[in-house]
Each structure stands twice: as structure tokens, then as C-alpha cells.
């Protein structure tokens, strides 16, 4: 199973919270949380084929263009599933994850899933009935490994078009 991940400047390791204008880019190796997901990806016989990234400022300043480019890149890479996040408690990144997940689901034939912490309550309430949002802890809080494992399990269920949505919903808000 092939997975593409989408990160902000912090999770990609390409910048800090102040480097919001990082341009859209990508790597064909796991980076950021993708490296930490490795043992859980093995459990579902999956691998990350590309990590796409973009600064939150770049995204928020031109959502339509960045979203279209990300959807085009995802369509070209044609993975089995796209994982946006985990966004932890970073509000701008959580918004980016939710909106891009919805765009990928609406404009490509590839399923996408987002992940963020409960601190993003407004975004979760706005999107939880439209996309799958896997629960994760806020940055630095315990439980990240469990959340990454759950994210991989939910991604697998989505990728294989599991008809039992309870298999996905058990990990989501």
C-alpha cells in the first residue's frame, strides 16, 4: 500500500513556526512523523512514497492555488491513501489538513484522512462529518505512538475501501 503524507513547515522539518512562507515542496522519502510511523506502516504492509509539504502562511495566503497543486501532485503520485497531519494542536496546520483532506477527497479518486488534537475543536466540529479526523495528542503530550498506530489503521481501512466505517470511526472524532 502506498501512502503520501502532507505536512507543514514544522512537521516536515523544513522550518520553524516563524517560517510560514515555506514554498510547496516534496521528498520521496519519509520525513517528520512519517519516520516515526515506520513500525506501524510495516504492520499494515504500507510505505510512504512521498512527503509533500507547504508552509502554513503559503497555504493560508493562497488556499485555492496550493490546494489545486497538492491535489494535482497527489493525483500524479496516485497513492492508495493520503495522510494530512498529524497537526497536533497547531491551529493553522489543522485548518490546512482539514481543507486539503476535503479537497483531495472531492477532486481526486484517492481517499485522504486528517489528524489533529482535540484543542482544534472549532475545526473538528466544522469538518468531522465531512472527513475522517483521527485523534492525536497535542504537541509534547503522551500518546503519540498510539495515535500514529491508529492513524495507520484508519488509513488502511480507508485505502482498502472497508465497508465497515466503524473500523475507521473508532479512531476519529
Amino acid at each position: 500500500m502506498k501512502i503520501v503524507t502532507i505536512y507543514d513547515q514544522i512537521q516536515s522539518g523544513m522550518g520553524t513556526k516563524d517560517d510560514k512562507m515555506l514554498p510547496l515542496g516534496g521528498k520521496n522519502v519519509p520525513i517528520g512523523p512519517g519516520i516515526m510511523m515506520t513500525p506501524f506502516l510495516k504492520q499494515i504492509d504500507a510505505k510512504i512514497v512521498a512527503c509533500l509539504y507547504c508552509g502554513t502562511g503559503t497555504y493560508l495566503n493562497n488556499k485555492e492555488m496550493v490546494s489545486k497543486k497538492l491535489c494535482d501532485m497527489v493525483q500524479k503520485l496516485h497513492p492508495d491513501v493520503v495522510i494530512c497531519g498529524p497537526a497536533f494542536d497547531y491551529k493553522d496546520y489543522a485548518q490546512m489538513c482539514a481543507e486539503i483532506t476535503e479537497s483531495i477527497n472531492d477532486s481526486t479518486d484517492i481517499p485522504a484522512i486528517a489528524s489533529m488534537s482535540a484543542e482544534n475543536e472549532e475545526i473538528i466540529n466544522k469538518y468531522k462529518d465531512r472527513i475522517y479526523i483521527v485523534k492525536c495528542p497535542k504537541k509534547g503530550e503522551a500518546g503519540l505512538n498510539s495515535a500514529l498506530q491508529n492513524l495507520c489503521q484508519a488509513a488502511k481501512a480507508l485505502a482498502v475501501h472497508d465497508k465497515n466505517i466503524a473500523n475507521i470511526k473508532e479512531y476519529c472524532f
Side-chain angles (χ1 to χ4, degrees):
M1 183 169 68
K2 297 185 308 183
I3 295 176
V4 167
T5 59
I6 297 178
Y7 298 132
D8 71 349
Q9 72 277 3
I10 298 170
Q11 298 311 311
S12 66
M14 300 295 167
T16 67
K17 65 180 181 180
D18 297 325
D19 299 323
K20 295 179 180 179
M21 300 313 293
L22 180 74
L24 185 61
K27 297 211 177 252
N28 61 0
V29 293
I31 58 176
I35 295 169
M36 294 177 65
M37 281 190 230
T38 301
F40 311 119
L41 293 170
K42 286 180 182 172
Q43 292 174 0
I44 61 168
D45 194 26
K47 74 177 207 173
I48 293 174
V49 295
C51 293
L52 307 177
Y53 54 84
C54 176
T56 53
T58 301
Y59 173 74
L60 294 172
N61 283 352
N62 201 341
K63 291 180 181 183
E64 193 171 309
M65 184 270 299
V66 172
S67 183
K68 181 177 181 344
K69 284 186 175 181
L70 283 169
C71 289
D72 289 348
M73 292 167 83
V74 164
Q75 191 68 44
K76 185 176 178 182
L77 292 164
H78 215 273
D80 295 298
V81 65
V82 176
I83 296 174
C84 298
F88 302 101
D89 54 329
Y90 299 110
K91 186 179 178 189
D92 289 348
Y93 183 32
Q95 181 179 344
M96 181 173 123
C97 286
E99 291 173 359
I100 290 173
T101 295
E102 186 171 53
S103 291
I104 291 169
N105 286 336
D106 289 350
S107 66
T108 75
D109 59 345
I110 299 154
I113 194 165
S115 178
M116 62 190 70
S117 70
E119 285 73 16
N120 294 297
E121 184 177 358
E122 185 178 322
I123 296 163
I124 291 165
N125 287 336
K126 181 175 179 183
Y127 287 94
K128 71 179 182 180
D129 296 329
R130 298 168 17 197
I131 62 172
Y132 293 113
I133 304 173
V134 175
K135 300 171 189 172
C136 81
K138 68 181 188 180
K139 185 73 176 175
E141 193 174 62
L144 180 58
N145 278 339
S146 177
L148 293 176
Q149 186 174 25
N150 292 344
L151 184 57
C152 289
Q153 291 298 324
K156 179 184 178 187
L158 198 58
V160 299
H161 306 287
D162 190 334
K163 300 292 183 212
N164 184 359
I165 62 168
N167 291 336
I168 300 171
K169 281 286 195 185
E170 74 176 284
Y171 306 117
C172 298
F173 289 102

